[in-house]
Amino acid sequence: MGASITGVGVYLPEQVVTNADLEKRVDTTDEWIVSRTGIKERRILPPESGMVASDMGAAAARSALEKAGISALEVDAIIVGGINPDKQFPATACYIQAKIGAVNAFAYDLTAACAGFVFGLNMAGLLIDSGQCRNVLVIGAELLSPVVDWTDRNTCILFGDAAGAVVVSATPESDRGILRSFLKSDGTQAGVLFLDSLVLQPQGGQHIHMDGKQVFKLAVSEVSAIVNRAVTESGFRIEDLDLLILHQANRRILSAIGEKLGLPSEKVFVNVHKFGNTSSASIPLALNDALQEGRIRRGSLVALAAVGGGMSWGCNIVRW
């Protein structure tokens, strides 16, 4: 049996925040933001909406299920990545389970920050390979705006809110779907990118902290290395890839990884300009856009790769 992505769904808040809007809040300019990140706008969930991460994740999950042509009752497991959960516990995945009516699924969260989707997709493939599950929802539900320091121009320009989901299903073709995954972590780099604990910052001081230079260095060196390993150990060459979909953190990082791998720019998917960094939601958002643009077709060989706080990083090789 194979474990194939059979449906992709997204949820995007309606409110668009442009670089011009940010110019009114912090000392920055559109030119400065675009030249350093490639980001032009991002979506923000207004606090008055009353929505939380599970609401966005549930909306994306419903869309993915519709695309896959199955009901929530057929879902065996729900895996959710996200750095700002509804509550410390229970898992955001449990709230999503209730909201979509997936009463037959077990549900849990995983914490790998921006690499959460890649880690979750690996787990979905293993659950199906083992025979324990036939249909697994993997969701990135990221409500980042409440934990962004909107006075810090180095970080507030980067992040946006969104959710993305995929259905991973057992299929009879073993040469399709998730072919191979490689994951890595380095806890000695934990201070490079992190979110304060609510326990340590109880007065609403939770903010994302990032050493941008070190993140750039690690992302380019480690992600390019793990993509190369995943491709070659799956029996392919880098040039066999039809598309590389990276976590959409920064346009300069995407370009540098593509160049290091020797891939032409048309094989490195980019939509960071539209949504900014949406953490674990960014790869399913990119998958959705790539499918709509016809960049992925039946038989396409696609590499999905991300790096996030931990530091943690990984790559999935997928035959569509």
Side-chain angles (χ1 to χ4, degrees):
M1 300 293 289
S4 295
I5 296 173
T6 56
V8 181
V10 303
Y11 174 81
L12 291 163
E14 292 184 4
Q15 182 176 335
V16 177
V17 175
T18 66
N19 291 343
D21 294 326
L22 290 181
E23 289 177 1
K24 302 170 186 175
R25 302 185 64 166
V26 291
D27 181 19
T28 192
T29 65
D30 174 70
E31 180 183 10
W32 190 87
I33 297 170
V34 172
S35 65
R36 285 161 177 78
T37 70
I39 299 168
K40 296 182 179 179
E41 59 186 39
R42 68 287 295 149
R43 302 294 183 97
I44 299 296
L45 191 67
E48 60 269 20
S49 72
M51 293 179 68
V52 289
S54 65
D55 293 314
M56 296 195 298
R62 292 187 193 101
S63 177
L65 289 169
E66 183 179 356
K67 301 278 184 60
I70 66 170
S71 76
L73 297 176
E74 297 174 85
V75 176
D76 302 304
I78 301 171
I79 304 170
V80 174
I83 69 169
N84 186 22
D86 291 12
K87 289 182 169 59
Q88 194 67 37
F89 73 88
T92 300
C94 289
Y95 288 109
I96 293 174
Q97 181 212 32
K99 289 174 180 179
I100 67 174
V103 297
N104 297 312
F106 63 89
Y108 66 94
D109 292 356
L110 58 80
T111 303
C114 301
F117 182 81
V118 169
F119 276 51
L121 199 63
N122 173 70
M123 289 305 304
L126 294 175
L127 286 168
I128 289 172
D129 286 344
S130 72
Q132 185 174 0
C133 298
R134 290 194 62 83
N135 297 298
V136 181
L137 268 169
V138 181
I139 304 167
E142 297 287 12
L143 182 55
L144 302 179
S145 55
V147 294
V148 168
D149 182 353
W150 291 100
T151 67
D152 178 10
R153 75 168 188 167
N154 292 313
T155 57
C156 76
I157 62 173
L158 299 173
F159 298 101
D161 300 329
V166 301
V167 175
V168 182
S169 300
T171 55
E173 302 125 308
S174 60
D175 59 342
R176 285 189 60 222
I178 305 165
L179 304 181
R180 201 80 180 267
S181 294
F182 286 95
L183 309 177
K184 290 193 72 174
S185 296
D186 181 0
T188 67
Q189 301 291 329
V192 172
L193 177 60
F194 63 93
L195 173 63
D196 291 316
S197 166
L198 186 59
V199 175
L200 299 177
Q201 301 287 339
Q203 304 304 318
Q206 274 189 300
H207 290 137
I208 296 171
H209 298 272
M210 181 178 67
D211 179 342
K213 290 182 178 179
Q214 186 65 5
V215 168
F216 186 98
K217 179 181 176 181
L218 281 167
V220 175
S221 63
E222 299 299 342
V223 173
S224 58
I226 206 165
V227 170
N228 188 64
R229 180 186 175 192
V231 170
T232 56
E233 293 197 21
S234 299
F236 302 106
R237 300 169 300 171
I238 288 295
E239 52 265 37
D240 293 328
L241 284 177
D242 293 297
L243 199 63
L244 171 63
I245 296 184
L246 298 164
H247 161 52
Q248 303 289 302
N250 181 308
R251 179 65 183 263
R252 292 166 64 194
I253 291 175
L254 306 182
S255 298
I257 292 173
E259 290 173 7
K260 196 171 181 67
L261 289 169
L263 281 171
S265 59
E266 61 268 21
K267 285 193 174 186
V268 181
F269 190 82
V270 178
N271 69 350
V272 68
H273 55 288
K274 297 196 297 182
F275 308 125
N277 182 340
T278 57
S279 190
S280 64
S282 77
I283 288 181
L285 258 63
L287 274 173
N288 186 66
D289 278 2
L291 287 164
Q292 290 184 347
E293 294 173 16
R295 304 275 297 276
I296 299 176
R297 300 179 178 87
R298 177 67 181 262
S300 293
L301 186 66
V302 182
L304 312 175
V307 60
M311 296 291 283
S312 295
W313 60 98
C315 178
N316 315 117
I317 304 298
V318 180
R319 174 73 76 182
W320 215 262

